[in-house]
Amino acid sequence: GDSVTQMEGPVTLSEEAFLTINCTYTATGYPSLFWYVQYPGEGLQLLLKATKADDKGSNKGFEATYRKETTSFHLEKGSVQVSDSAVYFCVNAGNNRKLIWGLGTSLAVNP
Amino acid sequence: GAGVSQSPRYKVAKRGQDVALRCDPISGHVSLFWYQQALGQGPEFLTYFQNEAQLDKSGLPSDRFFAERPEGSVSTLKIQRTQQEDSAVYLCASSLQGMGQGDTGELFFGEGSRLTVL
């Protein structure tokens, strides 16, 4: 069945460091893919999305490219800030009703 | 309202008690979901409503769990005879369109209701 695997955390970086959070998926078709973020004390919110192969989602300096050949949707940011500290979830919309969530990767950015 | 509102934010229950968790979705949103999120895990699907119709309840873990959305807006998740394994954060999310109608899965989440069963 459809699945999502994302790298385990926690990830700790210094401000302005480069960030990569790996995510791979399995799917019977070509589902939409998402990254959701949960800031401390807040609800989950959509960070970015890609709806088809080779699409690049981007928001707030974060990017992720939907790569069919490697079944990946890695999240990247060139220069992280303290305010990026949060938990990041990779999501596979293989079945829209249920969404398939990764376990989440906690990111802590130190000043 | 401006966002999805859930109440209570925190609930402590003794084992065996019944609890009711409320979700007030964004006004006009057709789809409403309930998820269960255990500590250190991603959200797990519980049930889905399109307006007042409960179209999918395959994720409800037992018949102690019941959800309703009688008027197609506010929803209540009820857990009867709570057990310790029910301790989790219960998330409600809404979406403007019904699933299967071109929706690309963007959900708007509430802050969740944290249930602790002693």
Side-chain angles (χ1 to χ4, degrees):
Chain A
D2 293 3
S3 69
V4 167
T5 303
Q6 67 180 99
M7 65 184 279
E8 293 185 20
V11 174
T12 303
L13 297 173
S14 298
E15 205 164 25
E16 299 183 3
F18 184 85
L19 169 71
T20 300
I21 300 178
N22 290 338
C23 173
T24 57
Y25 67 92
T26 62
T28 52
Y30 300 103
S32 296
L33 301 172
F34 308 85
W35 279 97
Y36 275 79
V37 60
Q38 189 167 30
Y39 297 104
E42 298 185 17
L44 284 159
Q45 56 187 273
L46 181 66
L47 178 61
L48 54 82
K49 65 182 180 183
T51 58
K52 60 184 186 295
D54 300 324
D55 264 3
K56 177 186 284 187
S58 60
N59 186 26
K60 299 182 180 180
F62 290 88
E63 293 183 339
T65 301
Y66 189 155
R67 300 216 182 272
K68 185 177 63 175
E69 62 276 12
T70 55
T71 61
S72 65
F73 193 55
H74 304 321
L75 182 68
E76 297 182 335
K77 186 172 185 181
S79 176
V80 293
Q81 305 301 311
V82 173
S83 57
D84 294 327
S85 299
V87 181
Y88 294 82
F89 292 91
C90 185
V91 183
N92 174 349
N95 179 325
N96 275 340
R97 287 177 185 168
K98 299 184 182 182
L99 300 182
I100 301 158
W101 294 72
L103 295 180
T105 302
S106 175
L107 170 66
V109 180
N110 297 320
Chain B
V4 177
S5 178
Q6 291 187 245
S7 62
R9 289 290 311 279
Y10 303 93
K11 175 69 179 178
V12 178
K14 292 182 179 179
R15 191 174 60 178
Q17 282 185 330
D18 298 348
V19 300
L21 308 176
R22 175 189 168 103
C23 173
D24 202 338
I26 294 173
S27 180
H29 276 199
V30 169
S31 294
L32 186 145
F33 298 77
W34 283 99
Y35 286 86
Q36 180 189 59
Q37 186 176 17
L39 189 65
Q41 304 292 316
E44 295 281 344
F45 171 83
L46 292 177
T47 187
Y48 164 69
F49 290 86
Q50 184 167 305
N51 296 309
E52 70 278 5
Q54 188 175 21
L55 299 186
D56 191 336
K57 56 181 181 179
S58 61
L60 296 177
S62 77
D63 59 8
R64 296 186 295 103
F65 287 71
F66 172 77
E68 60 182 4
R69 192 186 185 197
E71 298 179 357
S73 56
V74 171
S75 177
T76 303
L77 176 66
K78 298 179 180 178
I79 309 173
Q80 297 178 320
R81 305 181 303 281
T82 52
Q83 304 295 314
Q84 286 188 320
E85 61 263 28
D86 300 335
S87 297
V89 176
Y90 291 86
L91 299 170
C92 177
S94 70
S95 178
L96 180 61
Q97 293 178 304
M99 291 306 180
Q101 297 174 9
D103 195 287
T104 55
E106 180 169 0
L107 303 183
F108 296 84
F109 282 83
E111 293 181 8
S113 293
R114 181 179 297 276
L115 172 65
T116 302
V117 182
L118 303 177

